[in-house]
């Protein structure tokens, strides 16, 4: 499980070959598709493309439906709308008590703070586990690993009682504060694994130069850990943006709703009578995930291959 | 970048005392390191106690009580646990649904993941594009937006029925029929096979091509190579994926909650375990009972993981042992 976590040099650098000796091209997307099709394995490609298309069809269909006049959604199964409209977006935007910008802002606040919290708290803990000696280190490390496996459902009832006693229900605190306390232990583990691959000579040299641990951490370890930090930021973004259960539980007033909770309210209030606006807002809600996905693909793939984050 | 700093200075030029020193100073330095370590770990400690371990123990205690958030909790012993299996038919239903959901969708998901990883590993050009396309659903799958989409696709006027109509087959409301609603959730989970696929791809990369070359020279068929080289060498990764996906699947909530309108309808056919916990805890505020159910979930997951670890001795092969 941990034997393959060493970050490998990016296999795509240059026209390099990957671990199995397969050539991997580093061309533009178009050139890559052309070359792929010109190859001998045309049939494989046709099947792979067809399968990928079937897999993504529902999402593509939702995007296209969001651009169709509502009465056309169910009369035109094809992807290309015969007439375009943005009515669904404007109708959906104002369908609930607050305009959707309000919910997007709430989601953005929670997500932003969660990213900062995870980056700060998890990297601090990871440095201690990877580089420092202290009593009970093994026990604490085991506890940290164990907490990764713990289902949220077993702690959420007491957490609710705790936050309710603190008067934090219907505030963002229950969703943000735990991140500053490194409760997403997955990322501690990820960073420990990463820091362990950095040469210790760097730290030792810094010690000789009179640097303390804080200095080593901020000046040497953190700058070199960018890939691990990026992975953490991207996954925190996607998890928090998609999170539903804890937002549903801790946010009770529409004023504080996030995008997922608002979307679900929309579905409940309008039943199945307004698919058009619902799709439009759904598409918008997936937009940031697409964006982060495109921007952070390299890190995403590496992160998932090494730790199994989803 | 640190080159200029790290170059060892000539002896005598350093302004710091020599490192090798007396026992007392050594102990002092070590104690300082302990203190530093604990400072770095401070946020995590607080989180572990307040957000994880504390609630964990509290929920264990609550599981033996009757507690509704108002008033004090009443100690009821094992009543909550016996109630689950004796007086709560919805619990049995939720458990059954979850078992079907997990044990059908996870093997299918892993089979798809492995099959496509093997095709992609065979030197298909454009690998990064395919990998991204197949991986994307894993990121989207747990969102409310996709659950809403699924509700439409498998609804009476949905995309699936439109497709079936081309062949003259009259469909039905798949999400609103008790026999098929759970199936649509299973399909949704299988659809997110991209994340185990990426892990398989990384695993396949570790198998040296020379093994396959040698096997081909010896005249081994593709099937033989798969069973004698790929499967054994990939077994640790299969094991890892299996554990991970089992744990994930047992905790599925969002999709079932949104697709069923929050109550497991039709006829409790999509009532998953976590939804029952949610309803008991946060709809009817039976916090004690919900805690007991959550603990049973922990025990189930722990037992399955344990059994998997025990069985892994017989089929997981670690080459570095």
């Amino acid at each position: 499980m941990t034997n393959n976590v060493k970050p490998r040099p990016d296999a795509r650098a240059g026209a390099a070959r990957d671990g199995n000796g397969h050539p991997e091209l580093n061309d533009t997307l178009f050139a890559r598709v052309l070359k792929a099709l010109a190859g001998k394995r045309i049939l494989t490609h046709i099947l792979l493309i067809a399968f990928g298309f079937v897999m993504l069809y529902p999402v593509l269909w939702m995007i296209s439906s969001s651009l169709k006049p509502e009465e056309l959604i169910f009369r035109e199964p094809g992807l290309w709308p015969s007439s375009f409209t943005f009515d669904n977006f404007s109708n959906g935007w104002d369908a609930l008590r607050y305009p959707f910008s309000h919910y997007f802002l709430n989601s953005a606040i929670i997500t932003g703070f969660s990213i900062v919290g995870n980056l700060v708290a998890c990297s601090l803990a990871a440095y201690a586990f990877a580089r420092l000696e202290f009593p009970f280190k093994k026990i604490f490390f085991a506890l940290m690993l164990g907490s990764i496996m713990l289902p949220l459902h077993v702690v959420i009832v007491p957490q609710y009682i705790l936050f309710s006693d603190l008067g934090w229900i219907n505030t963002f605190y229950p969703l943000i504060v735990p991140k500053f306390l490194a409760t997403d232990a997955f990322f501690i583990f990820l960073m420990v694994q990463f820091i362990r691959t950095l040469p210790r000579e760097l730290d030792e040299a810094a010690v000789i130069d009179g640097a303390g641990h804080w200095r080593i951490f901020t000046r040497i370890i953190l700058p070199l850990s960018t890939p691990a930090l990026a992975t953490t930021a991207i996954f925190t973004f996607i998890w928090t943006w998609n999170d539903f259960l804890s937002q549903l539980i801790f946010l009770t007033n529409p004023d504080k709703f996030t995008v997922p909770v608002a979307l679900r309210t929309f579905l409940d209030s309008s039943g199945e009578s307004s698919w058009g606006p619902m799709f439009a807002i759904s598409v918008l809600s997936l937009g940031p995930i697409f964006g982060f996905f495109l921007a952070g693909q390299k890190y995403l793939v590496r992160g998932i291959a090494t730790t199994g984050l989803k | 970048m640190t080159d200029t700093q790290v170059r060892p200075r000539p002896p005598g030029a350093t302004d710091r005392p020599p490192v090798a020193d007396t026992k007392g100073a050594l102990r002092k330095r070590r104690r300082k390191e302990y203190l530093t370590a604990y400072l770095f770990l401070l946020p995590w400690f607080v989180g572990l106690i307040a957000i994880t371990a504390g609630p964990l123990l509290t929920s264990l205690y609550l599981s033996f009580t009757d507690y509704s958030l108002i008033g004090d909790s009443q100690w009821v012993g094992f009543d909550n646990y016996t109630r689950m299996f004796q007086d709560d038919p919805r619990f049995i239903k939720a458990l059954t649904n979850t078992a079907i959901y997990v044990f059908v969708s996870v093997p299918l998901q892993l089979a798809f993941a492995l099959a496509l990883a093997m095709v992609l590993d065979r030197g298909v050009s454009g690998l990064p594009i395919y990998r991204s396309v197949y991986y994307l659903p894993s990121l989207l799958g747990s969102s409310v937006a996709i659950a809403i989409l699924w509700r439409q696709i498998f609804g009476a006027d949905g995309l699936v029925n439109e497709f079936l109509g081309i062949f003259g087959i009259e469909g039905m409301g798949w999400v609103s029929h008790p026999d098929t609603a759970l199936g649509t959730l299973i399909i949704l989970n299988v659809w997110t096979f991209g994340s185990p696929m990426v892990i398989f791809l990384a695993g396949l990369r570790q198998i040296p091509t020379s093994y396959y070359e040698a096997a081909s020279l010896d005249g081994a068929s593709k099937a033989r190579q798969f069973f004698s080289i790929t499967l054994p060498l990939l077994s640790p990764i299969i094991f890892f994926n299996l554990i991970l996906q089992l744990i994930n699947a047992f905790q599925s909530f969002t999709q079932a909650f949104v697709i069923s309108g929050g109550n497991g309808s039709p006829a409790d056919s999509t009532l998953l375990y976590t939804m029952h916990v949610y309803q008991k805890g946060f709809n009817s505020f039976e916090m004690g009972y919900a805690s007991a159910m959550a603990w049973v979930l922990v025990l189930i997951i722990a037992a399955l993981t344990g059994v998997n670890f025990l069985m892994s001795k017989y089929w997981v092969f670690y080459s570095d042992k």
Side-chain angles (χ1 to χ4, degrees):
Chain A
M1 180 169 154
T2 54
N3 59 349
N4 60 346
V5 292
K6 255 174 248 146
R8 283 180 291 159
D10 190 355
R12 276 179 296 168
R17 284 162 173 267
D18 62 29
N20 274 355
H22 305 140
E24 246 186 299
L25 303 165
N26 188 26
D27 293 331
T28 61
L29 185 128
F30 182 66
R32 234 187 266 168
V33 171
L34 270 189
K35 271 191 190 149
L37 288 175
K40 285 177 213 149
R41 300 185 176 88
I42 288 179
L43 187 67
T44 315
H45 282 285
I46 291 173
L47 289 176
L48 283 174
I49 290 170
F51 188 69
F53 184 70
V54 170
M55 273 189 72
L56 289 192
Y57 190 86
V59 180
L60 298 173
W61 179 84
M62 178 165 72
I63 296 170
S64 115
S65 295
S66 69
L67 291 165
K68 290 174 189 171
E70 234 185 322
E71 68 276 8
L72 277 186
I73 293 179
F74 299 105
R75 274 198 276 135
E76 270 189 354
L79 285 183
W80 196 254
S82 57
S83 68
F84 281 96
T85 173
F86 287 99
D87 286 356
N88 291 327
F89 289 89
S90 50
N91 291 340
W93 197 257
D94 295 314
L96 293 179
R97 172 122 56 104
Y98 296 92
F100 254 87
S101 48
H102 187 88
Y103 308 119
F104 272 96
L105 184 67
N106 286 346
S107 275
I109 292 170
I110 292 171
T111 310
F113 278 106
S114 297
I115 291 174
V116 175
N118 268 347
L119 286 179
V120 172
C122 294
S123 63
L124 282 171
Y127 180 77
F129 280 125
R131 284 297 204 253
L132 298 172
E133 286 310 318
F134 52 92
F136 310 115
K137 184 171 168 176
K138 284 215 165 103
I139 296 175
F140 286 138
F141 194 70
L143 276 176
M144 190 269 290
L145 286 184
S147 69
I148 295 175
M149 298 247 220
L150 202 66
L152 171 68
H153 307 85
V154 74
V155 286
I156 198 139
V157 165
Q159 277 182 12
Y160 182 86
I161 297 168
L162 169 74
F163 293 134
S164 160
D165 287 345
L166 290 171
W168 283 4
I169 301 302
N170 200 37
T171 70
F172 295 156
Y173 295 126
L175 300 164
I176 292 171
V177 172
K179 312 286 180 185
F180 282 87
L181 302 174
T183 49
D184 284 346
F186 240 135
F187 299 121
I188 304 182
F189 175 65
L190 179 93
M191 285 189 225
V192 167
Q193 296 296 333
F194 190 87
I195 295 174
R196 278 180 180 163
T197 65
L198 301 175
R200 266 181 185 269
E201 287 78 15
L202 292 175
D203 308 21
E204 284 156 13
V207 168
I208 291 171
D209 273 3
H213 282 294
W214 178 250
R215 212 142 208 248
I216 297 174
F217 172 66
T218 52
R219 296 293 166 82
I220 297 177
I221 301 295
L222 277 189
L224 290 176
S225 301
T226 322
L229 296 173
T231 309
T232 300
I234 293 163
F235 274 104
T236 305
F237 178 88
I238 289 166
W239 284 359
T240 314
W241 192 265
N242 270 344
D243 175 36
F244 179 64
L245 177 61
S246 41
Q247 295 174 4
L248 178 73
I249 287 172
F250 294 129
L251 307 174
T252 50
N253 191 314
D255 176 44
K256 293 287 191 300
F257 279 0
T258 54
V259 175
V261 184
L263 256 179
R264 183 250 165 176
T265 313
F266 191 2
L267 177 73
D268 281 1
S269 65
S270 67
E272 309 192 338
S273 58
S274 54
W275 286 116
M278 211 137 55
F279 285 155
I281 302 303
S282 297
V283 167
L284 291 180
S285 80
L286 295 178
I289 297 179
F290 272 111
F292 265 70
F293 169 69
L294 290 177
Q297 262 202 60
K298 192 172 73 176
Y299 298 122
L300 275 172
V301 167
R302 196 183 291 155
I304 205 169
T306 54
T307 57
L309 301 164
K310 196 153 185 171
Chain B
M1 76 200 232
T2 42
D3 265 0
T4 51
Q5 301 166 22
V6 300
R7 195 166 299 137
R9 300 183 199 177
T14 170
D15 47 1
R16 296 187 51 78
V19 201
D21 43 20
T22 59
K23 249 185 192 170
L26 202 70
R27 202 179 301 139
K28 204 172 152 195
R29 266 198 314 136
R30 197 175 290 157
R31 210 176 299 141
K32 200 177 157 215
E33 170 150 320
Y34 295 167
L35 187 70
T36 316
Y38 286 136
L39 279 176
F40 272 87
L41 284 172
L42 189 62
W44 175 75
F45 273 135
V46 176
L48 183 74
I49 292 164
I51 312 287
T52 309
L56 189 69
L57 294 176
T58 312
S59 89
L60 183 61
Y61 168 78
L62 284 176
S63 76
F64 296 105
T65 67
D66 196 352
Y67 182 54
S68 65
L69 210 59
I70 307 151
D72 291 330
S73 53
Q74 306 284 320
W75 184 265
V76 294
F78 279 92
D79 279 10
N80 286 329
Y81 291 93
T82 49
R83 179 181 155 199
M84 267 177 244
F85 294 97
Q86 287 170 6
D87 305 316
D88 187 357
R90 293 193 82 205
F91 170 81
I92 304 293
K93 181 77 179 157
L95 196 59
T96 322
N97 286 343
T98 309
I100 296 170
Y101 173 80
V102 171
F103 294 118
V104 175
S105 71
V106 173
L108 276 176
Q109 197 191 28
L110 293 188
F112 268 99
L114 182 56
L116 278 153
M118 289 190 56
V119 174
L120 290 181
D121 189 53
R122 241 168 248 161
V124 171
S125 42
L127 166 75
I129 298 171
Y130 290 122
R131 190 174 50 194
S132 302
V133 166
Y134 295 147
Y135 174 59
L136 191 58
S138 294
L139 289 183
L140 307 179
S142 64
S143 66
V144 171
I146 293 297
I148 288 177
L149 173 66
W150 230 249
R151 210 175 135 111
Q152 199 288 330
I153 293 178
F154 290 98
D157 304 321
L159 208 52
V160 168
N161 285 342
E162 232 164 71
F163 177 74
L164 291 175
I166 302 173
F167 305 99
I169 302 168
E170 195 173 333
M172 53 176 190
W174 304 93
V175 281
S176 52
H177 195 286
D179 292 341
T180 50
L182 189 61
T184 64
L185 290 178
I186 290 174
I187 293 172
L188 179 45
N189 197 37
V190 175
W191 188 59
T192 63
F193 69 80
S195 75
M197 185 196 74
V198 170
I199 301 172
F200 277 140
L201 266 172
L204 288 170
R205 288 284 171 86
Q206 316 252 322
I207 304 177
T209 30
S210 57
Y211 288 15
Y212 294 103
E213 283 155 14
S216 303
L217 285 179
D218 287 348
S221 68
K222 288 280 176 204
R224 182 68 204 273
Q225 291 180 22
F226 175 73
F227 286 109
S228 304
I229 301 173
T230 313
L231 269 192
L233 288 179
L234 205 60
S235 54
I237 311 282
I238 298 175
F239 177 61
F240 176 59
N241 265 335
L242 181 67
I243 300 267
L244 213 67
Q245 297 306 324
L246 278 179
I247 293 176
N248 276 340
F250 262 103
Q251 298 181 55
S252 294
F253 173 81
T254 309
Q255 303 89 329
F257 187 87
V258 173
I259 288 175
S260 72
N263 55 22
S265 67
D268 284 348
S269 61
T270 58
L271 184 75
L272 291 188
Y273 197 98
T274 54
M275 260 174 75
H276 198 42
V277 175
Y278 170 83
Q279 285 196 327
K280 286 294 174 192
F282 298 97
N283 278 358
S284 47
F285 290 99
E286 295 176 62
M287 298 278 186
Y289 189 55
S291 298
M293 270 195 290
W295 265 93
V296 170
L297 179 66
V298 172
L299 294 180
I300 291 173
I301 291 177
L304 266 178
T305 313
V307 166
N308 256 314
F309 267 98
L310 286 179
M311 300 227 304
S312 70
K313 268 190 210 147
Y314 302 102
W315 66 274
V316 174
F317 170 85
Y318 290 100
S319 54
D320 51 344
K321 248 182 199 169

